[in-house]
Amino acid sequence: MALFAPALTACTDNGAEPGTSGSGAPAVPADAKEALLASTKEITEGNFRFSMTGADLDGQGVVHKPSKSARMNMKAGEGEFSMDMDIIYLEPDSWVKLEITGAEGVPGLESLNSGKYQHLDQSKIKGTAGLGFNFKDVDPAGSEALTKAVVDVQKTGEGTYTGTIDLTRATGAGMINEDSVQLLGAEATKLPFEAKLDAEGRLSTMTIKLPAVAGGTAHELTVSYSDYGAASPATAPPASEVVEASPETYELFNK
């Protein structure tokens, strides 16, 4: 599901203060750009909870790299159409449960809306955009790419930063849809954002403000992170709630 989900040079005369903070955590760089870049480093450890929200999207989940497991629930829709997807990864297996409305007449809809978790054959999954997950790149939102696409940033309060971001430089981020960026045109190069870091300098939230385009309305795109290093592993669904995935499931996502 496509969402709408160092290029910044260090300043040698205004960088990180030596040593660590009073809490024992690494000191947050004094330079705003460097602080923002450093804020995504712990995400790569793959042990966190997250959420993503946008105009027609509401998603949340957990990534637990130590157990090679993850779970995501994504709700998306536009007009009368909506889709609720709950997907569980427990390497080497994965399962998806779907609830689709507003798509009456679509072939195979009954099997898609079976109310069961569909066990997925990994050999039938193409890429990671739909049903797959890459434990070498554990951030569904791609916040590292987003912070690298920041054009300018200022610290506006304790742990709070604001500035502008160029989304044309972040099309590899999971939250960003390249077609949507093209619709924004020149506006995509100078969108306002706000980021908040926790007491240890880790990214807590990042919100990008998007203008109205193509008859839509202005809205915000937000990603949040929590439970760094303390997330719970995902678990497989009960066998009584599992069926093998239908051909229509692979066809829906492998496009």
Side-chain angles (χ1 to χ4, degrees), residues 83-86 95-101 106-120 237-249 252-253:
M83 178 166 64
D84 187 335
M85 179 176 76
D86 187 19
W95 303 261
V96 64
K97 184 178 181 180
L98 299 168
E99 183 179 347
I100 301 173
T101 59
V106 173
L109 184 62
E110 184 176 346
S111 63
L112 292 171
N113 285 346
S114 67
K116 300 277 190 177
Y117 283 92
Q118 300 182 58
H119 179 253
L120 298 164
S240 60
E241 297 180 19
V242 174
V243 296
E244 288 301 314
S246 67
E248 290 81 10
T249 299
L252 177 65
F253 289 95

Side-chain angles (χ1 to χ4, degrees), residues 4-245:
F4 208 66
L8 303 177
T9 305
C11 299
T12 56
D13 61 343
N14 194 27
E17 298 176 359
T20 60
S21 67
S23 66
V28 178
D31 177 74
K33 289 183 178 181
E34 290 302 308
L36 205 57
L37 286 172
S39 72
T40 66
K41 289 182 179 178
E42 193 162 338
I43 295 174
T44 62
E45 297 297 317
N47 192 335
F48 57 86
R49 297 193 64 82
F50 70 93
S51 67
M52 295 185 284
T53 59
D56 56 1
L57 173 92
D58 184 8
Q60 60 184 344
V62 60
V63 177
H64 193 262
K65 189 175 180 179
S67 64
K68 291 290 183 73
S69 69
R71 183 169 187 169
M72 305 180 200
N73 180 260
M74 298 290 176
K75 298 179 181 179
E78 185 175 3
E80 296 181 356
F81 174 82
S82 68
M83 178 166 64
D84 187 335
M85 179 176 76
D86 187 19
I87 186 163
I88 301 171
Y89 307 94
L90 188 58
E91 201 170 81
D93 290 299
S94 59
W95 303 261
V96 64
K97 184 178 181 180
L98 299 168
E99 183 179 347
I100 301 173
T101 59
E104 287 72 15
V106 173
L109 184 62
E110 184 176 346
S111 63
L112 292 171
N113 285 346
S114 67
K116 300 277 190 177
Y117 283 92
Q118 300 182 58
H119 179 253
L120 298 164
D121 181 344
Q122 303 302 305
S123 68
K124 296 180 180 179
I125 297 174
K126 298 178 182 178
T128 59
L131 296 175
F133 190 84
N134 182 3
F135 281 99
K136 294 181 180 180
D137 183 10
V138 295
D139 182 10
S143 290
E144 180 181 9
L146 292 174
T147 57
K148 287 182 178 180
V150 164
V151 177
D152 64 79
V153 58
Q154 305 81 38
K155 184 175 182 179
T156 55
E158 189 61 37
T160 303
Y161 300 81
T162 61
T164 57
I165 186 171
D166 180 358
L167 288 189
T168 66
R169 295 162 53 187
T171 53
M175 285 190 74
I176 306 305
N177 179 279
E178 189 169 351
D179 292 338
S180 299
V181 172
Q182 291 178 354
L183 282 175
L184 288 169
E187 289 291 318
T189 65
K190 51 182 180 180
L191 295 170
F193 80 91
E194 178 179 273
K196 295 182 180 180
L197 312 187
D198 66 14
E200 296 185 28
R202 302 169 300 194
L203 186 63
S204 177
T205 63
M206 186 173 190
T207 298
I208 302 170
K209 298 181 179 181
L210 304 172
V213 293
T217 59
H219 62 282
E220 295 182 344
L221 183 66
T222 300
V223 57
S224 301
Y225 299 90
S226 62
D227 290 352
Y228 282 105
S232 300
T235 57
S240 60
E241 297 180 19
V242 174
V243 296
E244 288 301 314

